Amino acid sequence: MKHALSVTRQQNFAAWYQEVISEADLAEESGVRGCMVIRPWGYGIWERIQKLLDARIKAAGVDNCYFPLFIPLSYFEKEADHVEGFAKEMAVVTHHRLVGDGKGKLIPDPDSKLEEPLIVRPTSETVIGAAMARWVQSWRDLPLMVNQWANVVRWEMRTRMFLRTSEFLWQEGHTAHVDREDAMRETLRALEMYRQMAEDDCAMPVITGEKPENERFPGAVATYSIEAMMQDGKALQAGTSHYLGTGFAEAAGIKYQDKEGGQQFAHTTSWGMSTRMIGGVIMTHGDDDGLRCPPRIAPWQIVIVPMLRDSDEDEAVLEYCRALSRELGALEAFGEPVRVLLDTKATKAQVKRWSWVKKGAPIIVEVGPRDVAEGKAAVLRRDRLYKDDGKLNTAFTPKGDFVASAAKLLQDIQASLYAEAKARLDANIARDVSDLAAHFKGDEAKFAGWVEVQWARPSGAALDKIVEQLKALKLTMRNAPLDAAPADGACFFTGEPAVERILIGRTY
Amino acid sequence: MKHALSVTRQQNFAAWYQEVISEADLAEESGVRGCMVIRPWGYGIWERIQKLLDARIKAAGVDNCYFPLFIPLSYFEKEADHVEGFAKEMAVVTHHRLVGDGKGKLIPDPDSKLEEPLIVRPTSETVIGAAMARWVQSWRDLPLMVNQWANVVRWEMRTRMFLRTSEFLWQEGHTAHVDREDAMRETLRALEMYRQMAEDDCAMPVITGEKPENERFPGAVATYSIEAMMQDGKALQAGTSHYLGTGFAEAAGIKYQDKEGGQQFAHTTSWGMSTRMIGGVIMTHGDDDGLRCPPRIAPWQIVIVPMLRDSDEDEAVLEYCRALSRELGALEAFGEPVRVLLDTKATKAQVKRWSWVKKGAPIIVEVGPRDVAEGKAAVLRRDRLYKDDGKLNTAFTPKGDFVASAAKLLQDIQASLYAEAKARLDANIARDVSDLAAHFKGDEAKFAGWVEVQWARPSGAALDKIVEQLKALKLTMRNAPLDAAPADGACFFTGEPAVERILIGRTY
């Protein structure tokens, strides 16, 4: 069976990933170090993820706002833990003017040096904390829940498109509450929201759980994540939610008068999800012909390719396609109008078909003169592209039947992609491993899934030792699943009584 | 009549503008020089503008993408005109790491100095041009039409919220075409799209026209704008569309093979609209009680304020309000579900009412125990807040009647706000002025509207002279209206035969 890509997942997963991104027109290198251009199909997927997640955010009563791109350097000095964790690789603005150097080149004008350098936000806890301190006076002002959709910059030495780029797009939610209980409720609500977004919208099954202490967001009291399993068995952290205690509130001065008239510090949370999710979608659903885009997040769910031959029949084919497009566009799937594209670009039908296969449009419909004559359409389900004999699995369907079943077909594809990924996740968490080195032997590219162990959750030097031990095997602890069975044995690492179960794996 | 703000438009328009922004929770100073925090109500308006404009952009076949925040300094050296015009006040990133200075402070790490400084994008022609050069090979690839929603930074010395801030949010459309004709068609399509967005969505009447040569975007062959008249008579340029000729394509190398096999440079356009539009909405529709938000762009179109008294009747009031909210939310206005908020915040009803008056919610509905008993609602139309006697213009309406008429009421408010602004615009363009100094005498705050004159459209030194002459009167040429009557007399400035009519006024 010949595939649309030059490399398969089996041959070289990393090279396959890059080829999907390139061939599906998702993104490309920009010429600016570590920054990518997100192309229309990739950005269209991001817009879908945004739209669906934004509705969930709004439904929770969180208000969207916008905070400055620049953060004065001194803000990073206020919260020591935060400085240690973040104040390293960041883009620093030092001048505000360019001038000619007299030799035809431009240089930063030495006279425009800023008194205080500005940092391009790596995350916005500090600047949003300063605003919250202005906005919160009384318990009546709480909870205060805001979110922003923004670009952030973390200067990365080794970048990989979508997964780790110097600039990326994300949303960051920031909330302030009267007490630990209310803040923790919000932390877990956001986590559950991410789970739903990943599983229901992106068809990407995840494990929700708490990160171990060494993987916490700098300054957080507790960090939770959703972890997804990629097709190479590695974990992708696809969203995080942090309970920050009162540390950030104390640094920023977020105080409120309680009902008894006393002054209290607010308990804050933050939670974020980024364009990294698109990398997760590729590595969860892609196959050797490119991306398979879950219908809920596909910019176009059904693409109609007219087979034109510069002949007299072309107009009849186009007219038939336009009618089909109108009928499909009048349908609803997942509570929204079906998104249909009639691709009339001046390219050969064969080329178009494969470009939509690579992009992963859920349903591709080809219409030629014979289909018009017979009142049919050639329907290709992207998630089941080939028959057992290796031939394309095209269904020549009467037009009316196809229209009548199209919405259900989209729902089936969504469910089928999820089921496939869920089966893989469930089958590849080992719970009876006694020797990690043996289980994860071989090179890093070898599929080994994850291992769940019981542990005593030590901290300090005892934890450091475990982390080092795992690091030597290129492993990390992912999270302690919220719905894991209670611990009932000895700690895998120390032999002490275990208190919880935790997942271990290789990671992106 | 007592108003909700401490200063009226008449007393001090600039102070009134700032007070509306503050009291309506639209935005505030961030503590970061020249950057603002856009608060939920302000950002909600922006989201509405985005949503409505984005639908128009997509309907035109333009694809959303995302390009890097950072532009290498050398890109600005490629296009000489562009350098002269833009390469001045910009944020320059020179380092990529912070370190401690050993005295508890952070400083840019001298070892992390970038070989080539990066500029925070002031606009993206250069970086998008570089991408287009990669994407365009053949006439089949054209037109290539992309848009991005992004933040941009222009280091401004004097800032004013929404109108001129160092960082602002905007969309920038960039398109490439086979020839001048097709590019010009797109330039004018974008201009017409902005007119519709301003007039139909924001209820803000505008004049569409071509900017004079001295006001062109640096490097453009022709710049068009929409100009709106604020309540102080000043002009606000609220959107621009540029035909860039082949200059940017030559600088970036956007070449294509034409149908005959020859190599041609593409003709490009760019067009943008920003958060400045929100400033225009405030200064077009605001009154001495705050903002009046046109229903199409109001985050909430109807706000229900329950009058609670910590009594046994509260639950019945709330239940009545919830039912009303459901009924209103099931309606459609302007082809979308009506956006209804039941404001249950723990604040006094009186305070809430005035906070929604200041924010400009189009319809405010108060419900107390007596309304519940009588099956009524106290309906306040924000655009007609007072009766002739100065009392609040509250209509005690049977609930069913209100629900039945609510969608039409929203449409009436939208139309009425537009009609009021249109009458002001039409009444305040003088066409018979012979002495500009006399017409615009008095201080800058004095309302003088605009003047339309005929002119010969000179360039070079003759144009410079006119520009200087106007500048002495604090005046600028706004645009030459596309639908103005043909010129039929002598140039206002030179006495030569006039070729077109042009608007003159004070401006933001």
Side-chain angles (χ1 to χ4, degrees):
Chain A
M1 192 181 332
K2 196 182 162 300
H3 287 291
L5 303 181
S6 72
V7 60
T8 67
R9 291 160 291 174
Q10 199 64 37
Q11 287 165 346
N12 185 334
F13 197 76
W16 166 85
Y17 177 73
Q18 293 299 338
E19 193 176 0
V20 174
I21 289 174
S22 162
E23 290 295 310
D25 288 345
L26 293 166
E28 67 185 23
E29 298 291 349
S30 67
V32 183
R33 207 197 142 288
C35 296
M36 61 181 171
V37 173
I38 308 181
R39 301 190 64 182
W41 189 249
Y43 197 79
I45 294 172
W46 180 240
E47 285 184 309
R48 290 293 309 158
I49 292 174
Q50 275 194 300
K51 182 179 173 176
L52 295 169
L53 184 61
D54 196 63
R56 298 183 193 277
I57 290 170
K58 285 190 166 73
V62 179
D63 287 321
N64 283 343
C65 297
Y66 188 76
F67 294 87
L69 173 67
F70 297 131
I71 301 179
L73 187 150
S74 59
Y75 281 37
F76 288 88
E77 293 166 348
K78 289 184 192 173
E79 219 272 329
D81 287 348
H82 199 58
V83 168
E84 284 314 305
F86 264 118
K88 285 173 182 157
E89 296 295 337
M90 302 193 290
V92 187
V93 176
T94 55
H95 295 73
H96 68 77
R97 192 185 306 129
L98 292 178
V99 287
D101 66 350
K103 302 168 206 158
K105 296 279 175 192
L106 294 168
I107 53 167
D109 184 349
D111 291 342
S112 75
K113 193 171 176 192
L114 299 175
E115 280 191 33
E116 179 178 5
L118 296 172
I119 309 304
V120 180
R121 62 183 163 218
T123 179
S124 302
E125 273 75 8
T126 53
V127 72
I128 294 183
M132 284 185 163
R134 297 192 295 270
W135 298 348
V136 172
Q137 267 99 46
S138 144
W139 63 271
R140 284 188 186 82
D141 301 319
L142 298 175
L144 176 65
M145 304 197 288
V146 299
N147 174 67
Q148 78 173 352
W149 291 93
N151 51 347
V152 287
V153 172
R154 299 174 187 179
W155 203 266
E156 297 284 355
M157 287 301 139
R158 295 201 322 171
T159 61
R160 200 183 304 205
M161 274 193 278
F162 290 117
L163 302 177
R164 182 165 281 109
T165 49
S166 290
E167 181 190 16
F168 58 92
L169 304 181
W170 79 343
Q171 59 66 223
E172 48 181 323
H174 297 266
T175 71
H177 305 262
V178 287
D179 58 18
R180 182 185 189 287
E181 187 189 351
D182 202 51
M184 192 56 93
R185 191 185 301 122
E186 172 60 16
T187 306
L188 294 175
R189 183 207 63 77
L191 184 71
E192 168 62 11
M193 173 179 75
Y194 288 147
R195 185 194 67 73
Q196 289 175 12
M197 183 265 306
E199 299 195 337
D200 300 348
D201 301 341
C202 300
M204 180 197 290
V206 293
I207 304 285
T208 58
E210 186 179 353
K211 304 293 282 188
E213 187 184 312
N214 60 302
E215 298 268 0
R216 270 183 207 145
F217 177 71
V221 174
T223 287
Y224 298 84
S225 70
I226 56 171
E227 304 279 336
M229 186 184 286
M230 304 295 100
Q231 288 182 67
D232 61 353
K234 288 193 194 172
L236 185 83
Q237 176 179 299
T240 50
S241 184
H242 315 288
Y243 167 57
L244 303 174
T246 58
F248 282 82
E250 285 168 34
I254 311 173
K255 275 181 291 198
Y256 72 92
Q257 190 170 52
D258 63 24
K259 286 184 183 176
E260 289 73 39
Q263 287 286 316
Q264 305 281 351
F265 282 112
H267 292 244
T268 65
T269 85
S270 68
W271 29 274
M273 185 279 311
S274 76
T275 36
R276 170 167 246 236
M277 178 58 80
I278 298 172
V281 168
I282 298 167
M283 292 192 291
T284 300
H285 300 301
D287 67 12
D288 296 335
D289 292 291
L291 180 59
R292 297 184 302 170
C293 201
R296 289 208 72 166
I297 59 168
W300 300 114
Q301 295 170 314
I302 305 178
V303 174
I304 304 172
V305 176
M307 303 178 77
L308 306 176
R309 296 163 191 199
D310 277 326
S311 78
D312 294 348
E313 296 169 321
D314 284 2
E315 188 45 40
V317 170
L318 278 172
E319 190 43 54
Y320 185 89
C321 289
R322 281 191 285 263
L324 178 59
S325 176
R326 275 193 301 272
E327 288 172 56
L328 292 167
L331 301 174
E332 282 211 347
F334 312 101
E336 292 180 283
V338 168
R339 297 181 292 282
V340 189
L341 175 73
L342 171 55
D343 183 354
T344 55
K345 220 187 150 201
T347 316
K348 281 186 185 154
Q350 177 98 343
V351 174
K352 277 192 220 180
R353 177 213 291 159
W354 285 104
S355 91
W356 290 111
V357 165
K358 288 187 281 188
K359 285 186 165 80
I363 300 174
I364 301 163
V365 186
E366 290 173 291
V367 174
R370 193 199 286 185
D371 301 301
V372 175
E374 297 177 2
K376 289 189 172 177
V379 178
L380 207 49
R381 231 183 112 149
R382 176 60 183 91
D383 64 325
R384 298 188 188 160
L385 198 58
Y386 299 103
K387 290 186 285 194
D388 290 342
D389 62 7
K391 294 215 173 93
L392 274 184
N393 190 18
T394 310
F396 294 91
T397 316
K399 191 177 119 195
D401 292 359
F402 170 56
V403 172
S405 65
K408 182 165 180 308
L409 192 53
L410 288 170
Q411 281 151 0
D412 284 353
I413 295 171
Q414 182 84 21
S416 165
L417 287 172
Y418 177 78
E420 187 183 322
K422 183 76 166 78
R424 187 169 54 236
L425 174 67
D426 288 345
N428 290 292
I429 300 180
R431 293 188 172 82
D432 54 359
V433 170
S434 56
D435 182 344
L436 288 176
H439 186 82
F440 286 99
K441 72 173 180 291
D443 70 29
E444 207 186 330
K446 185 177 162 286
F447 186 98
W450 304 344
V451 169
E452 187 185 276
V453 301
Q454 306 196 31
W455 78 322
R457 202 178 171 161
S459 58
L463 175 60
D464 292 345
K465 199 178 140 192
I466 295 170
V467 170
E468 283 305 310
Q469 210 174 311
L470 292 172
K471 198 177 169 189
L473 299 169
K474 294 186 175 169
L475 296 172
T476 56
M477 285 178 282
R478 305 315 307 150
N479 69 24
L482 292 184
D483 65 355
D488 60 3
C491 174
F492 182 85
F493 305 103
T494 65
E496 294 169 333
V499 299
E500 67 181 9
R501 294 170 195 267
I502 192 153
L503 292 169
I504 292 167
R506 285 177 176 149
T507 187
Y508 279 95
Chain B
M1 191 183 331
K2 200 182 161 301
H3 286 290
L5 304 181
S6 73
V7 60
T8 67
R9 290 161 290 174
Q10 199 65 38
Q11 287 165 348
N12 184 335
F13 196 78
W16 166 85
Y17 176 74
Q18 292 298 338
E19 194 175 358
V20 173
I21 288 175
S22 162
E23 290 294 311
D25 289 346
L26 293 166
E28 67 184 24
E29 299 290 350
S30 66
V32 182
R33 207 196 142 289
C35 297
M36 61 182 173
V37 173
I38 308 181
R39 301 190 64 182
W41 190 249
Y43 197 79
I45 294 172
W46 180 240
E47 286 185 307
R48 290 293 309 158
I49 291 174
Q50 275 193 301
K51 181 178 173 175
L52 295 169
L53 184 60
D54 196 63
R56 297 183 192 279
I57 289 171
K58 285 190 165 74
V62 179
D63 287 322
N64 282 344
C65 297
Y66 188 76
F67 295 87
L69 173 67
F70 298 131
I71 302 179
L73 188 150
S74 59
Y75 281 38
F76 288 87
E77 293 166 347
K78 288 186 194 172
E79 219 273 328
D81 287 347
H82 198 60
V83 168
E84 284 313 306
F86 264 117
K88 285 172 181 156
E89 296 295 336
M90 303 193 290
V92 187
V93 176
T94 55
H95 295 74
H96 68 77
R97 191 184 306 128
L98 291 178
V99 288
D101 66 351
K103 301 168 204 158
K105 296 280 174 192
L106 294 169
I107 54 166
D109 184 349
D111 291 342
S112 75
K113 193 170 174 192
L114 299 175
E115 279 192 35
E116 179 178 6
L118 295 172
I119 309 304
V120 180
R121 62 183 162 217
T123 180
S124 303
E125 273 75 8
T126 53
V127 72
I128 295 182
M132 284 184 163
R134 296 192 295 270
W135 299 347
V136 173
Q137 267 99 45
S138 142
W139 63 271
R140 284 188 187 81
D141 301 318
L142 299 175
L144 176 64
M145 305 197 287
V146 299
N147 175 67
Q148 78 172 352
W149 291 93
N151 52 346
V152 287
V153 171
R154 299 174 188 181
W155 203 266
E156 297 283 354
M157 287 300 140
R158 297 200 321 169
T159 61
R160 200 183 304 205
M161 274 192 278
F162 290 117
L163 301 177
R164 182 165 279 110
T165 48
S166 290
E167 180 190 13
F168 57 92
L169 304 180
W170 78 345
Q171 60 65 221
E172 48 182 321
H174 297 267
T175 70
H177 305 263
V178 287
D179 57 18
R180 183 186 189 286
E181 187 189 350
D182 201 51
M184 191 57 90
R185 190 184 302 123
E186 172 60 16
T187 306
L188 295 175
R189 183 206 63 79
L191 183 70
E192 169 62 12
M193 172 179 75
Y194 288 147
R195 185 194 67 72
Q196 290 175 12
M197 183 265 305
E199 299 196 335
D200 299 349
D201 300 340
C202 300
M204 179 197 290
V206 293
I207 304 285
T208 57
E210 187 180 352
K211 304 293 283 186
E213 187 186 312
N214 61 302
E215 299 268 359
R216 268 182 208 145
F217 177 71
V221 174
T223 287
Y224 298 84
S225 70
I226 56 170
E227 304 278 336
M229 187 183 286
M230 304 294 99
Q231 287 183 68
D232 61 353
K234 288 193 194 170
L236 185 84
Q237 176 180 299
T240 51
S241 184
H242 315 288
Y243 167 57
L244 302 174
T246 57
F248 282 82
E250 286 167 34
I254 311 172
K255 275 181 292 196
Y256 71 92
Q257 190 171 51
D258 62 24
K259 288 185 183 176
E260 288 73 40
Q263 286 286 315
Q264 304 280 351
F265 282 112
H267 292 244
T268 66
T269 84
S270 68
W271 29 273
M273 186 281 310
S274 76
T275 37
R276 170 166 246 234
M277 178 59 78
I278 298 172
V281 168
I282 298 166
M283 293 192 290
T284 300
H285 300 301
D287 66 13
D288 296 334
D289 293 290
L291 180 59
R292 296 184 303 169
C293 201
R296 287 207 73 166
I297 58 168
W300 301 115
Q301 294 170 314
I302 305 177
V303 175
I304 304 172
V305 177
M307 303 178 77
L308 306 176
R309 297 163 189 198
D310 277 326
S311 79
D312 294 347
E313 295 169 321
D314 283 2
E315 187 44 41
V317 170
L318 277 172
E319 190 42 56
Y320 186 89
C321 288
R322 282 191 284 262
L324 178 59
S325 175
R326 276 193 301 273
E327 288 172 55
L328 292 167
L331 301 174
E332 282 210 349
F334 312 101
E336 292 180 284
V338 168
R339 297 181 292 283
V340 189
L341 175 74
L342 171 56
D343 183 355
T344 55
K345 218 187 152 202
T347 317
K348 281 185 185 155
Q350 178 98 343
V351 173
K352 276 192 222 180
R353 177 213 288 156
W354 286 103
S355 90
W356 290 110
V357 165
K358 288 187 279 189
K359 285 186 165 81
I363 300 175
I364 301 163
V365 186
E366 290 172 292
V367 174
R370 194 199 286 182
D371 302 301
V372 175
E374 296 177 0
K376 290 188 172 176
V379 178
L380 207 48
R381 230 182 113 149
R382 177 60 184 89
D383 65 325
R384 296 185 190 162
L385 199 57
Y386 300 104
K387 290 186 284 196
D388 289 343
D389 62 6
K391 294 215 174 95
L392 274 183
N393 190 19
T394 310
F396 294 92
T397 316
K399 191 179 115 191
D401 292 0
F402 170 56
V403 172
S405 64
K408 183 166 180 309
L409 192 53
L410 288 170
Q411 279 151 2
D412 283 355
I413 295 171
Q414 181 84 21
S416 165
L417 287 171
Y418 177 78
E420 188 182 321
K422 183 74 165 79
R424 188 169 55 237
L425 174 66
D426 289 345
N428 290 292
I429 300 179
R431 293 190 171 80
D432 54 359
V433 171
S434 56
D435 182 343
L436 288 176
H439 185 82
F440 286 99
K441 73 172 181 290
D443 69 29
E444 207 186 330
K446 187 177 161 287
F447 186 98
W450 304 344
V451 169
E452 188 185 276
V453 301
Q454 304 197 32
W455 79 324
R457 201 178 172 163
S459 59
L463 174 60
D464 292 346
K465 201 178 140 193
I466 295 170
V467 170
E468 282 306 310
Q469 210 174 312
L470 292 172
K471 197 177 171 190
L473 299 170
K474 295 185 173 169
L475 295 172
T476 56
M477 286 179 282
R478 305 315 307 152
N479 69 24
L482 292 184
D483 64 354
D488 61 1
C491 174
F492 181 85
F493 305 103
T494 65
E496 294 169 331
V499 300
E500 67 181 8
R501 294 169 195 269
I502 193 154
L503 292 169
I504 293 168
R506 284 175 177 151
T507 186
Y508 279 95

